[in-house]
Amino acid sequence: MNQLTRSGATVLTNSPLNSLHTTGHASKEEQTLMLQLLRPKYFMPVHGEYKMLKTHKDTAIQTGIPAENVFICSNGDVVGLRDGVAFASNVRFQADDIYVDGNDSSGLSTAVIKDRKILSDSGLVSVVVTIDSRNNKILTKPSIVSRGFVLIKENQSLLKEAEQVVYEALKKRMKSKVTFGEIKNTIRGSLEPFLYKHTQRNPLVIPVILNLRNTQQQQAKSNEKV
């Protein structure tokens, strides 16, 4: 816009004084003409938000295409073609947005981007707990290590209280036999609300479970090798 203005053009933009809207979408009249010229047996509108796709579908129906022959699809939906017949398939493909990251040609999924955003906004909290899976017991109190969450020196009391909250939740949960997944869920379920209540932040919580049984087995194997 600056270059156009320097060249002497009068540039109008959307503002309270100028109600302007430009779009890359064709008008309804243009879409109708396209459908009348092509007269497709099946039609799948693409590009735009759902409400736009629905409007395009209605236009197609008005030009004579049967409603059952018009498909509105989301990313990952599949339309099958067999013997000249098109149909909506129950098969679905994973179709998240992919972001190129440096030399990684495979790209990053939205889940990775989400984790990075959480880390940048609220940091990370790791909870280390040692258990004995044979006896279903906690051997040591949980230890919390944080990075990018709070200043450790100024929040020692908060972290100690958080460790106690997790410890009490684990003792209650491990009165009966539990899986490692259930232990991790208990840690997250007790710690996340506590941290948000006191800091209004949601750090990424990563439980780390050390199992004494596995440690002893590994030690025994090591001694046998020696």
Side-chain angles (χ1 to χ4, degrees):
M1 289 191 293
N2 290 327
Q3 292 178 355
L4 288 170
T5 304
R6 287 193 183 97
S7 299
T10 300
V11 181
L12 300 180
T13 59
N14 191 27
S15 70
L17 300 178
N18 295 312
S19 181
L20 301 175
H21 176 68
T22 60
T23 176
H25 295 274
S27 65
K28 180 178 180 179
E29 291 75 16
E30 291 172 316
Q31 292 176 343
T32 301
L33 177 60
M34 177 196 70
L35 290 165
Q36 290 173 338
L37 291 173
L38 297 177
R39 300 180 65 183
K41 182 178 179 180
Y42 297 98
F43 180 60
M44 184 180 72
V46 297
H47 189 65
E49 301 174 18
Y50 180 83
K51 61 183 180 181
M52 300 173 183
L53 301 179
K54 176 62 168 59
T55 300
H56 205 171
K57 174 182 178 179
D58 294 339
T59 301
I61 294 173
Q62 291 169 10
T63 63
I65 301 176
E68 61 272 17
N69 288 5
V70 183
F71 304 99
I72 295 182
C73 298
S74 300
N75 291 340
D77 288 345
V78 175
V79 175
L81 300 173
R82 183 182 298 130
D83 298 328
V85 177
F87 57 93
S89 172
N90 293 326
V91 177
R92 221 174 171 282
F93 285 96
Q94 190 67 29
D96 286 338
D97 294 332
I98 296 296
Y99 302 90
V100 176
D101 181 39
N103 295 325
D104 184 4
S105 60
S106 63
L108 297 174
S109 69
T110 51
V112 176
I113 300 298
K114 182 180 178 181
D115 285 346
R116 288 187 175 183
K117 188 176 186 307
I118 293 174
L119 287 171
S120 66
D121 290 341
S122 302
L124 175 148
V125 171
S126 178
V127 183
V128 182
V129 59
T130 303
I131 68 168
D132 181 351
S133 61
R134 291 174 302 181
N135 300 312
N136 208 51
K137 289 184 178 180
I138 307 173
L139 299 180
T140 61
K141 270 188 157 185
S143 175
I144 292 180
V145 179
S146 72
R147 291 294 182 271
F149 172 52
V150 292
L151 190 61
I152 296 178
K153 290 183 179 180
E154 296 180 1
N155 292 274
Q156 284 289 345
S157 59
L158 173 66
L159 296 179
K160 290 297 181 184
E161 188 177 353
E163 290 173 351
Q164 188 63 32
V165 167
V166 174
Y167 184 49
E168 295 298 329
L170 286 175
K171 283 199 301 183
K172 183 177 179 180
R173 184 66 185 85
M174 293 181 69
K175 287 181 179 179
S176 57
K177 198 68 176 176
V178 294
T179 64
F180 287 103
E182 290 170 336
I183 294 175
K184 291 179 180 180
N185 289 335
T186 300
I187 293 173
R188 293 192 183 98
S190 59
L191 185 58
E192 289 175 351
F194 174 83
L195 294 179
Y196 184 79
K197 178 182 177 181
H198 289 81
T199 66
Q200 283 69 58
R201 298 171 70 185
N202 286 309
L204 192 65
V205 175
I206 300 180
V208 178
I209 303 173
L210 303 179
N211 186 9
L212 179 64
R213 180 181 181 182
N214 290 341
T215 303
Q216 289 177 335
Q217 289 176 343
Q218 290 174 359
Q219 184 64 42
K221 289 181 180 179
S222 177
N223 292 338
E224 289 175 2
K225 291 180 180 178
V226 174

